[in-house]
Amino acid sequence: MQLTRELPRRDFIAIIISLGGITLLSWLYLLLMAANMPMPDGMRAIQIQPWNIGYFMMMFLIRAIMMIGMMLPSVTPMVMIYAAVARKSTSQGMPVAPTGAFVSGYAAMWLIFSLFATTTQWGLDQAALLSPMIVSNSVGLGATLLISAGIYQWLPIKNKCLHQCRSPVHFITTHWQPGIMGAFRMGISHGAFCLGCCWVLMCLLFVGGVMNLLWIAAITLFVLLEKMLPLGDVGGRMMGLLMITTGGIIMFIGA
């Protein structure tokens, strides 16, 4: 894009190193956690403990780091566009918040989701619907999550949110707010669209295993390709059909 080409090389490298470094540290943390208790077929289990405030906070931390590691790569183009616009505005004498304020707002939205996801995990665990590997042990639940995720890929709200994620320039021009708090609110707004695009996909972690790193990587790659490839939206709907079919087969076999 023309805007990103106008971004100084120093700024471009700084953003790549910052986002890439945070992503790498997040994945290294997940690797260390997954290596804690080896299980067959690359799966890992977290030591079972009673749900108290300490255990809840530990699970929230794992989930939050996981969301950051999964979502930062796909938001990189948006961050580049914001940085380029901010740089251009600054050169014209208009005060603009640092790029970090935008990224902080984006991350804040995923921290809120992580709190919701951890609470959901607690509820499922109390209902005895999760195994020690934090994967659904209910055929009905797993099939329902797959079918729901597949249907969501075809809903108008999914398309609306995905459009905002796939069109960084459009988002910047329609949601621009000045100042640090404005940049933070822009980050939250974009995070909300990103969440609206991907939250059901994140629920599929309960299908493949919250600590199954291959499953986490697969969902991360799918989110990235859906947002960045020219026909990513079409491919996402086709994948939705596959999810619905797979969920239906699982439900039929398990009935």
Side-chain angles (χ1 to χ4, degrees):
M1 292 183 182
Q2 181 62 34
L3 278 173
T4 56
R5 285 196 291 268
E6 295 177 359
L7 191 65
R9 183 177 180 84
R10 180 186 61 185
D11 293 359
F12 180 87
I13 293 175
I15 292 172
I16 291 296
I17 291 177
S18 298
L19 297 182
I22 294 173
T23 301
L24 178 60
L25 289 175
S26 299
W27 278 92
L28 287 176
Y29 176 84
L30 295 177
L31 283 169
L32 289 174
M33 286 298 302
N36 185 47
M37 293 187 66
M39 297 292 288
D41 302 322
M43 299 289 287
R44 301 291 185 267
I46 293 178
Q47 185 176 359
I48 301 176
Q49 299 180 25
W51 279 87
N52 51 39
I53 186 62
Y55 186 68
F56 184 93
M57 292 305 298
M58 183 188 76
M59 297 308 303
F60 167 73
L61 177 64
I62 294 173
R63 178 74 67 162
I65 292 176
M66 182 184 301
M67 292 299 101
I68 296 300
M70 294 178 72
M71 300 312 300
L72 273 188
S74 67
V75 80
T76 299
M78 177 66 72
V79 175
M80 291 294 186
I81 295 293
Y82 177 86
V85 172
R87 179 82 178 188
K88 186 174 183 180
S89 298
T90 301
S91 66
Q92 296 173 350
M94 292 181 289
V96 178
T99 304
F102 178 86
V103 177
S104 296
Y106 180 83
M109 180 55 66
W110 283 102
L111 292 179
I112 293 172
F113 173 76
S114 298
L115 181 62
F116 169 80
T118 305
T119 304
T120 301
Q121 180 182 326
W122 171 79
L124 292 174
D125 188 62
Q126 296 302 298
L129 293 174
L130 296 180
S131 73
M133 291 178 289
I134 319 179
V135 59
S136 171
N137 55 22
S138 165
V139 172
L141 176 61
T144 299
L145 288 175
L146 278 169
I147 293 173
S148 298
I151 292 175
Y152 192 78
Q153 291 294 113
W154 287 82
L155 295 183
I157 186 173
K158 164 74 179 192
N159 185 61
K160 178 180 179 180
C161 292
L162 183 59
H163 173 70
Q164 295 290 337
C165 294
R166 288 172 57 85
S167 307
V169 175
H170 174 76
F171 175 84
I172 293 291
T173 56
T174 56
H175 292 82
W176 182 263
Q177 297 184 48
I180 293 178
M181 287 307 300
F184 186 79
R185 287 192 292 268
M186 285 178 62
I188 289 179
S189 295
H190 185 64
F193 282 120
C194 192
L195 179 59
C197 178
C198 304
W199 73 273
V200 182
L201 294 174
M202 297 307 164
C203 292
L204 294 182
L205 289 170
F206 291 122
V207 176
V210 172
M211 292 308 295
N212 183 342
L213 296 185
L214 291 178
W215 186 246
I216 297 171
I219 295 177
T220 301
L221 181 61
F222 175 72
V223 169
L224 183 65
L225 295 179
E226 186 179 44
K227 290 183 179 182
M228 300 187 69
L229 287 183
L231 295 177
D233 51 346
V234 177
R237 287 193 288 271
M238 295 303 99
M239 184 62 69
L241 290 178
L242 179 60
M243 294 176 191
I244 294 171
T245 302
T246 303
I249 292 173
I250 291 174
M251 188 169 289
F252 176 78
I253 294 177

